[in-house]
Amino acid sequence: MNPLVIISRKRDGLALTRDQIFDCITAYVAEEIPDYQMSALLMAIYLKGMNADETCYLTEAMLCSGDQLALTEGHGIVVDKHSTGGIGDKVSLLLAPLLACLGFRVPMLSGRSLGITGGTLDKLESVPGFRATLSPSEIDEITTATGCVICGASDAIAPADKLLYRLRDVTATVGSIPLITASILAKKLAENPAAIVFDIKCGHGALMKTPAMARELGRSLIDTSGLLGLSARALITDMSQPLGMMIGNTVEVREAWVAMEQGEPHDLIELTLALATQLLEMTGRQDLQPSLRKTLVSGEASRKFQEMIARQGGDLEQLPDPAWEYVESPQTGYVSDIDSEGIGRLLITMGGGRMRKEAEINHEAGIKLNYKIGDQVRKGQLLAGVTSPSDSSVLDCLASMITIEPESPELRPLIIDTMY
Amino acid sequence: MNPLVIISRKRDGLALTRDQIFDCITAYVAEEIPDYQMSALLMAIYLKGMNADETCYLTEAMLCSGDQLALTEGHGIVVDKHSTGGIGDKVSLLLAPLLACLGFRVPMLSGRSLGITGGTLDKLESVPGFRATLSPSEIDEITTATGCVICGASDAIAPADKLLYRLRDVTATVGSIPLITASILAKKLAENPAAIVFDIKCGHGALMKTPAMARELGRSLIDTSGLLGLSARALITDMSQPLGMMIGNTVEVREAWVAMEQGEPHDLIELTLALATQLLEMTGRQDLQPSLRKTLVSGEASRKFQEMIARQGGDLEQLPDPAWEYVESPQTGYVSDIDSEGIGRLLITMGGGRMRKEAEINHEAGIKLNYKIGDQVRKGQLLAGVTSPSDSSVLDCLASMITIEPESPELRPLIIDTMY
């Protein structure tokens, strides 16, 4: 295998063969291709794209670079969800236990926060004692007993993806549809699921800024999944404001837990149900549809959530309940815009997120919205809050991210599109 | 300076600023930007291009990464020629002494052979005692005394170019017009010439395969030179067959030497005169035009050539005169095609060229054409030869590269275009 031939082909817009892609990934993991050749190839892929077959081969090559989960048979249909990441997105914390309550098996391999995007593992590590790192046999045991687990992918899962992501991150080649597709799917395929639903966030708080970009990624994810024999659908969902009312780690776990008891906030519950509905349809279990909402909000999912956390060493009862400092609404009117990206950045400055992988996180740092887009607010009402201790500059900054106008704004739908 | 910002801009097809390009080159030479980031940037430049300003900044940044020749004033107008490289191209060996005879000063910094393209320094090193490596003060002294020198660029000249070329060579980013332009000009500008003429070879034996590609490079070289205050023109010249009759190192020096005594081969003489004419016009010395041919072929240039070589330690009288083995023409007809690229590759297999920079060269290995395209040849006449010792497979291979057809072919002009 001559890397120059492969780089030249892609540079010239030609498709790579299955052998070329496998050889290239295998050699890179074996350190037989240097970073400087791989980064030239990544830039060529970024600019020239990959067709459906190439994306499929790349996904397989990355999957085959590592181990796959070996789950004992006969304990439910394996399903999963993947979100491209947004502000306040704690859907996994509700969806995994909900699906487990319905008899599915959810070995959800999740990630950590980076940049403005939160990470499910960081959120769960707010719970005292929680272990995000599990061995393959622990994943098998816990999902056999409880139906769900949320943990990190071990280094043995798709090591090529870790190496490539590290290089993409420092060579401006992250935002490529085929590279994103292969990165997402290589890890998810290691779970060997029967069906998967993608939640593709769209808006200024998301990687995909426009519905067109989100649809392009959705198409690529669904088509590549299909070529690999995996049933897949995607929802394009609005990220022009945070999901739910809470943004942060501890506070999002608490919000998810409370939501499963009280049935709100509305957007969080509805998105969880919509994603679950797609999985029921894909697995031919529409018979479960009537009991979906009740299972989610009757306390059943909440108990499953608590059980899963307990099996991973955590005690949800010990979850801290931070105190809040609030900013008042400067005027009467309607909330017309919430700067999701700004809120994500503010959380990082509060220590609740990280710009570098190595950075420590202050789990308790959090932001709370009392109003969402379209809500009416009166001057002097408590508009939003941050966990204390804080200072006035943080509150001023938060206030500046919430736009209030005299007229009621046009509301955007939470679910922009469903893709098959 | 954040390399990611620069890579992203170019990736997105935006122009880089002068500061961004200078910062990037400076940091790369200082090893503050790793190869994997530079190779991503090079691929982005390859695929998205650079405008005239950017190419100009890149050239300047590469020039400024090293020293420039400091020549004592008052010893003639400094001029030079650059060829993009072809098979049998020994024009420099005639042009430098010709221009020196006319009172110009030619501090010609040249290169070595790589791949099928010959290198002027390798050719001259066929001459026993010849030194291709000269100090800046030696270059000044010899050009003051003799008017011309042909030597290698020291490591102090445009070190950024050496580093970038090495990386381009292993990342499939060599064939980019702005990168080629900056690489050529950064070294030539270090000579601080008043005028330069480019000989852009075009055909299957050249880097530029089509007249369109050659014109694009010519345009870029001339425009970038202009922005940098350097008067420049370009000839697009045919490389669908080798230049002259000899291909190799020793044999090309001998052919050049003999050409300056005998006034042939025709194509070599005419191309040398055409390039010299451009330099006369650019420097306002059209008054020298009438004496040009006579100076070249009367023995004057030949003596200057011998003098230059002597000042660089070489003794032209000691140049070996290899014996030849010939292949006969298998039929009667007209030579209709000569596979330049194949002949370049054959010379490499004979040891007369190199595929890797480190490889040693057998200077005496050579190929001789007895007929060029359009010449009539009879069956059994000696068609072409290789230096001995050789074997029949080499001769068979050579014969296969010369096509003979019953009809006289349409002749292509040697000079395809003149660009201003």
Side-chain angles (χ1 to χ4, degrees), chain A residues 155-205:
Chain A
D155 289 344
I157 302 279
D161 176 60
K162 289 190 179 66
L163 293 171
L164 283 177
Y165 189 83
R166 181 189 53 84
L167 190 59
R168 288 164 60 203
D169 194 39
V170 293
T171 55
T173 51
V174 168
S176 150
I177 297 288
L179 294 177
I180 294 171
T181 300
S183 176
I184 291 172
L185 282 182
K187 285 173 289 190
K188 288 297 171 187
L189 283 168
E191 302 170 6
N192 209 6
I196 187 163
V197 63
F198 299 105
D199 180 7
I200 303 179
K201 302 293 187 188
C202 174
H204 53 63

Side-chain angles (χ1 to χ4, degrees), chain A residues 358-378:
Chain A
E358 311 76 47
E360 290 285 321
I361 273 190
N362 172 7
H363 288 93
E364 290 193 34
I367 296 167
K368 179 203 279 189
L369 304 172
N370 283 347
Y371 299 88
K372 299 285 289 279
I373 293 178
D375 288 346
Q376 196 172 13
V377 61
R378 279 195 298 277

Side-chain angles (χ1 to χ4, degrees), chain A residues 4 11 36-37 39 46 170 172, chain B residues 11 36-37 39 46 170 172:
Chain A
L4 275 182
R11 177 199 70 191
Y36 58 78
Q37 288 187 322
S39 66
Y46 185 103
V170 293
Chain B
R11 179 199 71 194
Y36 58 77
Q37 288 188 322
S39 66
Y46 186 104
V170 293

